[in-house]
Amino acid sequence: MNYAVETKNLCRVFKRKRSRKERKQEPTKENQKEVVALDDVNIQVKEGELFGLLGPNGAGKTTLIKILSTLLLPTKGEAWVAGHNVAEDTFNIRMKINSVSGGESSGYGLLTARENVWMFSQFYDVPSKVAKQRADDLFKTFGLYEKRNQKMRTLSTGERQKMGMVRGFITDPDIIFLDEPTLGLDVNASRVIRRFVADWVREHEKKTVLLTTHYMMEAEELCDRVAIIDKGKVLVCDTPENLKKTVRRSSTLRLEIDPLKDYSKFRDIPGIRNFSKKVNPETNRSELVFVIDDEAAVSDILSVVTGEGKRIHELRKTEPTLEDVFVSLVGRALE
Amino acid sequence: MNIHLRLNLRAILGRAYPRVIGSLREPSWIFFEILLPVLAIAAYVFIYQALEAPPEFVGFVILGGAMTAFWLNVLWSMAAQLYWEKEIGNLQLYMMAPMSRMSLLGGMAVGGIFGSSIHASATVLIGVLLFKGPALVFPLMLIPIFLVTLIALYGMGMMFASLYLMWGREAWHMASLMEEPIYFVSGFYFPVKALGFWVALSASVIPITLGLDSMRQLLFPSVAAWGLFPVEIELGILVVLAIIFPIMARIALARMENLARRRGGLTLRWQ
């Protein structure tokens, strides 16, 4: 089997300088010198696959992308992209890949959007005429055609992000890394990007996309397979359907309540596999998600809340989502 | 055509493009790149005229003023450029692309030379029209001297680009620190020989020092006695610098990239 991307026991550790104050203190978990960004990561992405890396901020997704796009070296382990080792054969990898990051605003404000993407295409040996034609086609797809001859500095943030997508796809890469490509975009712009990515993989049999996201809906909608990553470790890797099956025999209970003083009581309730909580600062309410194996736990959960004299504003039992898979694995929500 | 050659030629043209366009699209350069240098030129011209110095000295100053365009370009748009590219998020896209990193710097240099040549020519034209320098001779030797000076100078800028990136924010201060002292020790507005042999010799490591000195000797042969070395020797030294600096730039770039891949953070702008 030819893998577009393969990693074996991949590790990446960042060393950070400790401040003078920290050097005087005993090393603790907070001020430690080394940060483990990736810990023994093993993934295999098939050619033609749309593969998702789902995880919260700081999980190691971007670090993995940086290694695969030859910008970083692994500390330990190995990685191959299009069959080439990332540490040794960078030229052959770089000719076949491209990468787009959400929130990017690369390019020069003085140049037009079209000139900017043309410039980047020249670093990949794309003939000028081909690049200009592809740029126009992609600008049409992303709804930027009318603005293609405007200076980049006059474009909005969302438009620049779409220009980043044009830049990434203008080289017609075999493998593209999309790092949170819809980050901060409005609903419509995100939908355009998601539709384009899905169509691109479907229409080109051998093209591969590795997408990182912390939007579970995006991963669920787009990806053939998803790896859930947290604190540098890949926790599970399967199709979204199979992942959801792992919690299907469980139920997901969502509660919106007044904040409690102590949430640890929920840990002692039998039948709760895991739960997450976050406080909505706008409503000042706690949003709790419980993955429960035994329905009897529901009454105990409600007793804890009402026992503290707090109000239950909403109670829902829902179909499992990828976020529920994440909650059941790590005990906290994605965002 | 060989794929590497084709790719790198395209990359040079691609990276030169913003600088070429920038020179033509932003009229603000007329003020910053021409009028301000002309003011500096005017100050020296009036001093020389007040001291009744030979008219060739007016020519020295105009030439020096014109060459400031190249020096400023090397300092701020070559040496400091990779640092700015990192800040705006372009550098990681450049480092991920398959072209040689030297093509990236080469493109910056080609575009910079184009833009600075326009600025320098305009400065010379205005300087000559305003201050009426002496009659010029234009020997052919001027062409290789000028070209080799630019290759050595931009080679030095390419080398500094990697070093500035490693120095991080201090790059800004380094550039500021180097700007005025180099004007002085390289003799932008007076013959460098006036600083004494050893100071002038030390300053010769900066290619513009000998480049200016040679061009002055060739353009104003009547005051060639002010030259530091004979033009042929200066050309020889410039050729050596034009070979050494690009080689050192290549080594520094490779080291920087290797360090960046090992450490992370040097070329990357994290979200």
Side-chain angles (χ1 to χ4, degrees):
Chain A
M1 162 70 78
N2 282 340
Y3 292 116
V5 173
E6 187 178 10
T7 69
K8 271 191 187 158
N9 310 113
L10 195 68
C11 297
R12 175 71 213 199
V13 176
F14 289 104
K15 288 185 180 159
R16 71 173 185 90
K17 283 183 186 167
R18 288 166 70 193
S19 65
R20 194 176 293 171
K21 192 178 161 191
E22 284 173 340
R23 281 198 294 269
K24 286 179 187 165
Q25 296 166 348
E26 283 295 303
T28 62
K29 204 175 176 186
E30 284 71 35
N31 72 12
Q32 64 191 351
K33 216 175 156 191
E34 292 189 337
V35 178
V36 180
L38 292 176
D39 187 2
D40 218 14
V41 170
N42 294 288
I43 56 166
Q44 283 144 353
V45 181
K46 294 172 213 153
E47 220 173 60
E49 193 172 26
L50 207 165
F51 187 90
L53 274 174
L54 181 68
N57 293 328
K61 308 185 295 287
T62 300
T63 302
L64 181 55
I65 294 263
K66 304 276 186 217
I67 290 177
L68 297 175
S69 52
T70 72
L71 291 171
L72 277 177
L73 285 170
T75 311
K76 263 198 296 187
E78 286 183 289
W80 295 266
V81 174
H84 304 285
N85 191 301
V86 293
E88 289 154 13
D89 199 359
T90 52
F91 176 78
N92 284 317
I93 293 175
R94 287 168 180 168
M95 283 299 282
K96 291 177 182 168
I97 63 165
N98 213 324
S99 169
V100 180
S101 300
E104 89 169 44
S105 58
S106 49
Y108 299 101
L110 186 72
L111 300 186
T112 66
R114 193 171 185 254
E115 286 169 337
N116 267 303
V117 295
W118 170 83
M119 180 192 77
F120 282 108
S121 75
Q122 297 309 289
F123 305 147
Y124 288 81
D125 195 30
V126 182
S128 203
K129 220 173 172 181
V130 175
K132 285 175 182 167
Q133 184 56 51
R134 274 189 204 156
D136 286 348
D137 293 343
L138 287 163
F139 278 126
K140 273 180 200 155
T141 306
F142 288 107
L144 267 184
Y145 188 71
E146 301 301 320
K147 296 196 171 181
R148 72 193 189 288
N149 289 323
Q150 276 188 21
K151 283 183 188 166
M152 194 190 90
R153 64 173 169 228
T154 65
L155 300 179
S156 69
T157 309
E159 286 165 346
R160 286 183 199 191
Q161 211 159 319
K162 285 185 194 167
M163 194 195 91
M165 290 293 285
V166 177
R167 178 196 57 70
F169 283 92
I170 196 171
T171 60
D172 194 28
D174 289 344
I175 301 161
I176 191 158
F177 302 110
L178 301 176
D179 191 7
E180 311 263 10
T182 58
L183 190 74
L185 286 180
D186 62 49
V187 179
N188 278 335
S190 302
R191 195 180 300 145
V192 169
I193 287 177
R194 281 200 291 269
R195 196 188 310 138
F196 173 79
V197 172
D199 290 347
W200 189 76
V201 175
R202 201 178 308 127
E203 288 163 13
H204 302 84
E205 202 185 324
K206 297 207 161 180
K207 304 281 184 190
T208 308
V209 175
L210 199 156
L211 169 90
T212 78
T213 181
H214 65 276
Y215 300 133
M216 46 156 188
M217 186 269 287
E218 192 163 276
E220 231 172 309
E221 181 188 327
L222 287 177
C223 299
D224 300 318
R225 283 191 306 143
V226 171
I228 294 181
I229 183 168
D230 186 48
K231 293 179 182 167
K233 279 183 180 291
V234 171
L235 304 175
V236 282
C237 178
D238 211 330
T239 62
E241 208 41 48
N242 284 345
L243 288 175
K244 284 189 284 184
K245 272 182 197 162
T246 62
V247 289
R248 190 151 285 163
R249 51 191 181 81
S250 318
S251 321
T252 304
L253 189 71
R254 292 172 196 278
L255 258 86
E256 202 177 302
I257 59 170
D258 289 334
L260 301 178
K261 278 184 191 155
D262 179 18
Y263 293 86
S264 63
K265 289 177 188 167
F266 293 124
R267 298 203 186 283
D268 305 327
I269 298 174
I272 295 180
R273 192 192 288 188
N274 225 328
F275 75 98
S276 74
K277 68 158 172 59
K278 59 183 172 192
V279 177
N280 184 336
E282 284 172 20
T283 57
N284 195 28
R285 290 174 187 170
S286 289
E287 294 169 3
L288 302 171
V289 178
F290 293 91
V291 179
I292 51 180
D293 293 329
D294 184 356
E295 300 274 330
V298 177
S299 62
D300 294 336
I301 292 168
L302 299 181
S303 302
V304 169
V305 179
T306 50
E308 278 201 25
K310 303 293 182 185
R311 267 185 74 184
I312 297 169
H313 296 278
E314 197 177 328
L315 169 67
R316 274 180 299 145
K317 196 177 156 196
T318 57
E319 281 295 300
T321 64
L322 283 182
E323 183 161 19
D324 301 330
V325 178
F326 186 81
V327 170
S328 78
L329 289 168
V330 299
R332 61 173 200 281
L334 264 170
E335 289 169 283
Chain B
M1 199 193 289
N2 173 293
I3 184 174
H4 288 276
L5 180 64
R6 198 179 58 213
L7 167 69
N8 288 312
L9 283 176
R10 282 204 170 111
I12 289 172
L13 281 178
R15 185 59 192 86
Y17 184 77
R19 300 211 155 171
V20 173
I21 287 296
S23 305
L24 308 171
R25 200 170 274 174
E26 290 282 282
S28 60
W29 65 267
I30 295 170
F31 178 75
F32 291 105
E33 307 283 344
I34 296 177
L35 294 182
L36 291 184
V38 166
L39 282 180
I41 289 171
Y44 283 92
V45 166
F46 293 143
I47 292 169
Y48 284 136
Q49 284 175 346
L51 294 172
E52 296 181 352
E56 284 79 3
F57 275 62
V58 173
F60 279 18
V61 173
I62 293 173
L63 187 64
M67 292 303 281
T68 57
F70 294 102
W71 174 240
L72 288 178
N73 187 253
V74 163
L75 203 55
W76 293 104
S77 301
M78 286 295 299
Q81 188 65 27
L82 291 186
Y83 178 72
W84 306 133
E85 299 284 10
K86 177 190 171 185
E87 292 300 295
I88 57 177
N90 285 344
L91 189 60
Q92 65 184 51
L93 298 178
Y94 290 152
M95 302 311 277
M96 198 179 65
M99 85 285 192
S100 152
R101 280 75 185 98
M102 286 297 278
S103 306
L104 174 69
L105 292 176
M108 277 158 47
V110 168
I113 288 172
F114 175 85
S116 301
S117 298
I118 295 176
H119 305 166
S121 307
T123 306
V124 169
L125 191 70
I126 294 174
V128 168
L129 288 175
L130 278 181
F131 307 115
K132 298 188 178 55
L136 291 177
V137 287
F138 194 84
L140 277 180
M141 185 73 160
L142 197 66
I143 296 169
I145 291 278
F146 181 67
L147 291 178
V148 174
T149 302
L150 288 191
I151 294 170
L153 186 63
Y154 278 82
M156 190 181 79
M158 287 157 91
M159 181 188 75
F160 274 126
S162 303
L163 299 178
Y164 272 38
L165 190 65
M166 287 191 240
W167 291 332
R169 284 187 191 166
E170 287 77 24
W172 176 273
H173 304 298
M174 281 300 298
S176 298
L177 199 68
M178 286 173 77
E179 192 176 312
E180 291 294 334
I182 300 298
Y183 282 158
F184 176 66
V185 295
S186 292
F188 272 77
Y189 299 111
F190 54 85
V192 72
K193 198 178 180 182
L195 291 173
F197 179 78
W198 292 108
V199 176
L201 185 70
S202 308
S204 299
V205 74
I206 295 151
I208 210 154
T209 309
L210 292 183
L212 259 176
D213 198 65
S214 297
M215 284 190 274
R216 281 169 176 162
Q217 289 186 56
L218 291 168
L219 284 168
F220 313 109
S222 58
V223 283
W226 276 103
L228 184 63
F229 298 114
V231 171
E232 294 74 17
I233 293 179
E234 293 190 341
L235 179 61
I237 298 172
L238 284 170
V239 167
V240 172
L241 293 177
I243 294 168
I244 287 176
F245 279 132
I247 291 173
M248 285 171 75
R250 195 187 168 90
I251 294 168
L253 256 180
R255 271 187 66 89
M256 183 272 292
E257 188 179 3
N258 194 274
L259 205 64
R261 292 184 76 206
R262 275 193 285 123
R263 279 192 200 162
L266 198 57
T267 57
L268 306 181
R269 185 167 162 262
W270 294 87
Q271 287 168 13

